[in-house]
Amino acid sequence: MDITDKVAVVSGGASGLGAATARRLASEGARVGILDFDAERGAAVAAEIGGHAVKTDVGDEASVAAAMSEIVDKLGAPRVAVSCAGIGLAARIVGREGKLSTDLFEKTIRVNLMGTYFVMSYAAREMMALEPEDTGERGVIVNTASIAYQDGQFGQAAYSASKGAIAAMCLPAAREMAKQGVRVMAIAPGLFNTPMMEGLPEDVTAGIVANVPFPHRLGEPAEYAQMVSQIVANPYLNGTTIRLDAAVRLPQR
Ligand SMILES: NC(=O)c1ccc[n+]([C@@H]2O[C@H](COP(=O)([O-])OP(=O)(O)OC[C@H]3O[C@@H](n4cnc5c(N)ncnc54)[C@H](O)[C@@H]3O)[C@@H](O)[C@H]2O)c1
């Protein structure tokens, strides 16, 4: 799909992979709506790229519904929806002295999985009401998993479960939306140089970088954004999860 003059919605567009995606799609001529919890940084990115930001909690359906209708009012119905909003909390299932991490599990599923599902659902409904392009496409949805969906590390049960579900729903969603010409893809990033990574202990980051075969470094957010752009451009990409990881496989810890 040619993105020029189209509307793209990016959740998590205030930071990291989402901000890079918002900038890239805007540079290709899209009008970009940013849905992010961080209103200040969301507004700053939106101002920089001539887009529109809405303070949104993606884990709250009513918040996503309201944000989507504000984007439609301000910019128009989206042809592209990219979900980058997410959290990366880690905890043992059974911690010290038997402390369970069920709260963390629930929160991670709510933000990462339900948040992605809500953005996809509300965007897809808008896309389905649009006329198809010459290619037959009405829209493109790109969700963000993580290589932790396959190589989950110690303490990542909640995160891996949330990302595994994002990868797993990609094919059934693509099959369901095929008739309307909406493609659904997921990207499973390796280790990228974003604020989310700053939260990790230094030795964890250094250990993972040591395992990255080539290029032997963290990924840059612009490289993730490039992948989104390539997915949008290529109509034959549908129903699958692409690992964008420089051949890294995460070790146990
Ligand atoms: N950075 C990496 O190495 C990496 C690797 C694999 C997967 N990912 C995934 O990529 C996505 C983006 O990660 P990032 O590194 O850019 O993180 P980031 O922390 O830089 O950005 C995440 C954004 O999501 C927003 N957000 C968090 N909770 C929200 C909520 N409930 N509602 C709305 N917005 C919310 C934050 O405000 C922030 O702007 C996440 O889903 C993450 O799991 C990142």
Side-chain angles (χ1 to χ4, degrees):
M1 175 181 286
D2 179 0
I3 188 89
T4 319
D5 289 332
K6 310 279 165 51
V7 176
V9 172
V10 182
S11 81
S15 174
L17 305 184
T21 299
R23 291 188 178 106
R24 168 94 190 206
L25 297 179
S27 77
E28 292 174 351
R31 299 192 298 280
V32 180
I34 291 173
L35 312 188
D36 203 293
F37 205 56
D38 187 335
E40 207 173 304
R41 291 175 72 180
V45 176
E48 181 194 319
I49 62 175
H52 182 74
V54 188
K55 182 179 166 73
T56 314
D57 177 359
V58 295
D60 174 359
E61 183 174 357
S63 176
V64 174
M68 198 62 76
S69 63
E70 186 172 327
I71 295 296
V72 172
D73 282 352
K74 297 272 180 198
L75 303 177
R79 285 284 188 188
V80 171
V82 187
S83 269
C84 289
I87 51 174
L89 308 171
R92 292 172 188 235
I93 297 167
V94 182
R96 288 199 184 83
E97 290 157 16
K99 189 176 178 303
L100 302 184
S101 58
T102 48
D103 287 355
L104 179 140
F105 192 88
E106 206 166 344
K107 183 170 183 196
T108 304
I109 295 294
R110 165 103 351 230
V111 175
N112 292 0
L113 177 57
M114 298 306 294
T116 300
Y117 183 80
F118 292 147
V119 172
M120 174 170 75
S121 307
Y122 282 84
R125 191 167 62 183
E126 296 298 334
M127 292 169 185
M128 287 173 185
L130 294 171
E131 287 300 313
E133 300 269 282
D134 292 347
T135 57
E137 294 168 287
R138 281 193 170 83
V140 184
I141 291 165
V142 182
N143 295 330
T144 307
S146 160
I147 57 169
Y149 97 93
Q150 291 178 319
D151 322 341
Q153 294 188 290
F154 193 99
Q156 285 192 316
Y159 186 70
S160 298
S162 72
K163 297 302 189 178
I166 289 170
M169 72 181 174
C170 189
L171 180 61
R175 284 175 163 165
E176 184 187 317
M177 297 181 196
K179 211 170 160 194
Q180 290 95 351
V182 176
R183 294 188 286 120
V184 185
M185 288 289 294
I187 301 172
L191 197 73
F192 277 69
N193 189 15
T194 71
M196 183 179 262
M197 284 301 120
E198 286 162 14
L200 283 180
E202 227 170 81
D203 57 327
V204 173
T205 309
I208 296 171
V209 172
N211 284 319
V212 183
F214 183 78
H216 185 58
R217 58 169 172 78
L218 296 176
E220 287 303 327
E223 292 168 323
Y224 172 92
Q226 182 182 4
M227 186 82 257
V228 172
S229 166
Q230 287 163 337
I231 289 171
V232 171
N234 190 329
Y236 215 68
L237 279 170
N238 197 10
T240 199
T241 301
I242 298 174
R243 284 182 69 121
L244 185 66
D245 65 4
V248 75
R249 297 295 178 272
L250 300 180
Q252 199 187 159
R253 284 176 193 259

